[in-house]
Amino acid sequence: MISIRTKLSLWLTGLLILGTVIGLILFESMLRQAFHDSIINRLEEDLEHIMLATRLNNGDISIDQSQLSSFYKPAYSGRYFQLNLPHEVIRSRSLWDMQLEIEPLAPNQTRVWQAKGPKNNDMQLLSLGLTSTSANVTATLTVAQDLSIGRRVFSEVYGTKLGVNLIMLLAMIAGIFLILRQSFKPVKQIQHALARLQEGEINALELHNIPTEVQPLAKTYNELLDYTAKQIERSRNNLGNLSHGLKTPLAVMQQQVEALGLHDPQTALALQQQLDTIHKMVERKLATARITGDMLPAAQLVLPRDLQNLANTLDKVHRQKGIRCHFALDPKLQRLPIHREDGMELLGNLLDNAYKWAQTEVAVSLSRQQDKLILCIDDDGPGVADDELHQLTRRGTRLDESVMGHGLGLSIVKEIAEQYGIKLTFDHSASLGGLRVELVFS
């Protein structure tokens, strides 16, 4: 998904380039038209001057070149004239030995066109048909101007304009990127704040550092965080209260079971097993409530801190066994893509399971393979039989707490794994000999 900043940069840059190209095309067209009009205007002026210098003597038409501009005297000067009479052609000295091919025109008829002139250069020509009623003579007067000099000036002007426009275009593009970079700095700050929020360093977004346009969104996000935190706090308190509240009835039931054991030992043994299971579940929920007591609703599980906290808590719960928990975590990985409370619940149940069945050692490893994170928990316990292991793997979508072997909280683990799209598999531990639980985070 392309970012808003990149989209704005591309769109604004594209619009600038398009505007510059259109402007240059329009400027070139207007400059070319202005250049053409100026040439025609000058030719019209030259035509009038030559007509003023034209004389009629004894029925003959001639041009008094002493009254003309000195531009017509140097050979191939770039400005020319030619008078085509029925039996004679009068040319400017600037044409030297070259004669223009001119079509005769009717009296007062004009013609504007371009043709090749001296040195094979392009010329702009203007012709006018003349007549003398007294001498009954018709002629065609033509003036011409070399276009090479004008085109060179045109190229210089247009090239200068093109260079200036390109420099301005580059400057404006650089300005766009700088302005957008400065404008999106608050967004970077918000991203940093969200990262700190995920790591649990802050409780809410600081509104005074957020742009006005984004403040309503940030305020709503803070309100949602506050509401979710209160809901989590209420649920945790209810869980703790329920667990504590069950202790007294369980104690009474324990006394009744002990009394029943004197008369019906078998029934008392069955009830005692169920009471032990309920007691362990209550202890586990109380431990979970203690672990997740200070969590933020937006925080992700932080490594290795949260895993170490889990291990420390379980060391106390199972202190009589003296389990050693070893960690082999990729130092580049600082968070797991899972909400911290859910992650603590998920890993807490799996580690509690490993601690329960381990003899002396539990190992936790985390690595990255391509674009996936793989977390493994190994123990040196008795493991699971092959047929039960196959059943666990096949029934990974529904594991309940009555499963023999490793059965404490596996239904909770399954639900959380499904919620986050985590692949959960069970296998034999090649390193410790017990059970290996593998979690693959996509």
Side-chain angles (χ1 to χ4, degrees):
M1 183 68 180
I2 190 170
S3 67
I4 297 176
R5 176 180 169 183
T6 304
K7 281 184 180 179
L8 286 175
S9 301
L10 293 177
W11 275 105
L12 292 176
T13 301
L15 289 175
L16 273 178
I17 294 175
L18 180 62
T20 302
V21 171
I22 293 176
L24 287 173
I25 292 174
L26 292 177
F27 177 77
E28 191 270 344
S29 177
M30 295 172 62
L31 185 63
R32 190 177 298 278
Q33 186 62 41
F35 172 70
H36 179 266
D37 292 343
S38 67
I39 296 294
I40 298 301
N41 291 335
R42 175 173 290 182
L43 290 177
E44 290 176 348
E45 293 177 359
D46 290 349
L47 195 63
E48 292 179 0
H49 291 161
I50 295 173
M51 289 178 62
L52 291 175
T54 301
R55 298 289 183 268
L56 180 63
N57 295 318
N58 300 324
D60 294 330
I61 298 178
S62 62
I63 297 177
D64 186 0
Q65 298 197 22
S66 62
Q67 298 184 14
L68 300 180
S69 172
S70 59
F71 285 110
Y72 295 111
K73 294 180 181 179
Y76 308 134
S77 64
R79 295 177 67 178
Y80 316 102
F81 72 84
Q82 180 172 304
L83 179 63
N84 287 65
L85 297 170
H87 305 290
E88 183 183 4
V89 175
I90 301 175
R91 297 174 297 168
S92 63
R93 186 177 179 182
S94 58
L95 278 173
W96 199 245
D97 58 350
M98 181 177 181
Q99 181 174 321
L100 303 177
E101 297 293 332
I102 305 298
E103 296 181 4
L105 299 180
N108 298 322
Q109 183 182 357
T110 59
R111 182 189 177 195
V112 179
W113 83 102
Q114 291 184 1
K116 293 292 184 180
K119 299 182 180 180
N120 204 34
N121 292 335
D122 290 334
M123 293 192 309
Q124 182 70 54
L125 300 96
L126 173 62
S127 297
L128 175 65
L130 303 177
T131 184
S132 173
T133 55
S134 59
N136 196 22
V137 176
T138 59
T140 300
L141 178 60
T142 302
V143 290
Q145 181 169 333
D146 195 327
L147 296 177
S148 59
I149 299 177
R151 286 177 176 173
R152 185 166 59 249
V153 174
F154 173 85
S155 299
E156 291 176 355
V157 173
Y158 186 71
T160 303
K161 170 69 175 176
L162 179 62
V164 171
N165 276 59
L166 289 178
I167 294 174
M168 291 179 61
L169 176 63
L170 294 176
M172 286 187 288
I173 291 175
I176 286 174
F177 279 90
L178 289 176
I179 291 173
L180 289 177
R181 181 180 179 182
Q182 291 297 117
S183 300
F184 276 84
K185 270 189 175 180
V187 178
K188 290 289 185 182
Q189 295 174 357
I190 295 174
Q191 291 178 342
H192 180 66
L194 289 174
R196 294 178 60 198
L197 193 65
Q198 287 182 332
E199 294 177 1
E201 298 179 5
I202 57 177
N203 297 327
L205 298 176
E206 299 178 358
L207 297 180
H208 65 276
N209 292 330
I210 295 177
T212 307
E213 295 80 1
V214 191
Q215 279 188 4
L217 179 61
K219 184 178 179 182
T220 303
Y221 186 72
N222 282 344
E223 292 174 352
L224 180 61
L225 285 177
D226 184 61
Y227 174 78
T228 307
K230 290 179 180 178
Q231 291 293 102
I232 293 174
E233 177 73 17
R234 187 179 298 110
S235 299
R236 190 185 69 250
N237 290 338
N238 291 338
L239 176 62
N241 294 336
L242 177 62
S243 298
H244 282 291
L246 287 174
K247 283 191 172 183
T248 300
L250 287 175
V252 174
M253 294 174 65
Q254 182 69 42
Q255 295 176 357
Q256 296 295 326
V257 169
E258 291 176 358
L260 180 62
L262 300 175
H263 306 288
D264 191 351
Q266 292 183 352
T267 303
L269 180 61
L271 292 175
Q272 185 63 52
Q273 291 177 349
Q274 298 302 318
L275 283 175
D276 290 341
T277 301
I278 295 174
H279 179 73
K280 291 176 181 178
M281 291 177 62
V282 170
E283 290 297 327
R284 188 175 68 255
K285 293 301 180 183
L286 285 173
T288 301
R290 290 194 299 270
I291 291 171
T292 62
D294 59 346
M295 293 184 182
L296 298 174
Q300 288 187 340
L301 194 141
V302 179
L303 302 173
R305 183 188 66 191
D306 290 332
L307 282 177
Q308 190 63 56
N309 290 340
L310 275 173
N312 293 338
T313 302
L314 292 170
D315 285 339
K316 296 176 183 178
V317 174
H318 300 275
R319 57 183 175 273
Q320 73 281 0
K321 300 185 67 174
I323 302 296
R324 298 188 305 274
C325 185
H326 304 285
F327 293 97
L329 308 179
D330 188 339
K332 297 180 181 179
L333 302 176
Q334 299 179 352
R335 291 200 302 267
L336 282 181
I338 185 174
H339 184 273
R340 186 180 297 175
E341 183 175 357
D342 293 333
M344 296 294 269
E345 182 80 7
L346 172 69
L347 298 179
N349 277 289
L350 291 176
L351 280 174
D352 184 40
N353 204 57
Y355 267 76
K356 176 183 176 181
W357 295 99
Q359 299 295 326
T360 60
E361 191 174 356
V362 173
V364 180
S365 62
L366 176 65
S367 61
R368 181 188 294 275
Q369 296 184 10
Q370 297 179 351
D371 58 343
K372 296 181 179 180
L373 302 181
I374 299 179
L375 188 145
C376 299
I377 300 176
D378 297 81
D379 64 65
D380 60 350
V384 178
D386 289 338
D387 55 345
E388 292 179 351
L389 183 63
H390 176 72
Q391 182 182 11
L392 288 174
T393 305
R394 182 174 58 83
R395 294 185 58 206
T397 58
R398 187 60 184 175
L399 300 173
D400 56 56
E401 299 182 6
S402 63
V403 175
M404 295 298 294
H406 297 256
L408 293 177
L410 291 182
S411 62
I412 298 174
V413 169
K414 172 259 175 183
E415 291 172 1
I416 297 176
E418 279 189 345
Q419 179 183 354
Y420 287 90
I422 301 171
K423 183 180 178 182
L424 174 66
T425 56
F426 300 89
D427 201 352
H428 293 290
S429 175
S431 58
L432 299 182
L435 179 69
R436 159 170 282 209
V437 182
E438 183 177 274
L439 298 172
V440 180
F441 297 81
S442 300

